[in-house]
Amino acid sequence: DLRIKDTIYIGWKKPPEGWIKLNCDGACKGGEESSGCGGLFRNSDGRWMKGYIKKIGVCGAFHAELCGMYLGLDMAWRERIPQLIVES
C-alpha cells in the first residue's frame, strides 16, 4: 500500500524589529516519571538572550506546557519586556 506524503517544512522566524520572542515548551512521561519545562528568549536578530528550565515533578502534558509558558511570562514581566511574542 503506497501512500503519497506531503513534506511540511517547519522553521523558526525572527520577531519584528524591537520585539522579543519567547519559545516555551513542556514535556512529561507517563507513570511516575518527572516532568519538566523550559523556554528561551531571542531578539529581533534571532540572538539568544536568556533561557530557563525547571523540573516540575509528576504532571500531565498540558500542565507542563502551561508551566513553561507561565515561567516565561513571569520572567518577561520581571525583565520589563514590553513587546513580546510567545510561541509554545
Side-chain angles (χ1 to χ4, degrees):
D1 180 23
L2 294 174
R3 294 182 183 186
I4 298 173
K5 295 185 180 187
D6 291 330
T7 301
I8 300 172
Y9 295 99
I10 300 172
W12 186 85
K13 292 182 182 175
K14 297 189 285 189
E17 185 67 35
W19 286 74
I20 304 296
K21 187 176 275 192
L22 164 63
N23 291 98
C24 52
D25 198 8
C28 68
K29 289 188 174 185
E32 297 298 315
E33 297 192 46
S34 180
S35 300
C37 62
L40 59 94
F41 293 86
R42 289 191 258 189
N43 65 16
S44 56
D45 293 330
R47 292 194 182 128
W48 182 88
M49 298 173 62
K50 59 179 53 198
Y52 58 94
I53 58 171
K54 183 171 184 168
K55 187 176 177 179
I56 54 176
V58 179
C59 70
F62 185 68
H63 183 134
E65 291 280 343
L66 286 179
C67 188
M69 189 177 293
Y70 171 78
L71 291 173
L73 290 172
D74 184 59
M75 183 179 281
W77 178 264
R78 286 185 280 113
E79 296 288 327
R80 297 190 170 131
I81 296 174
Q83 296 178 292
L84 183 69
I85 297 171
V86 180
E87 291 182 344
S88 178

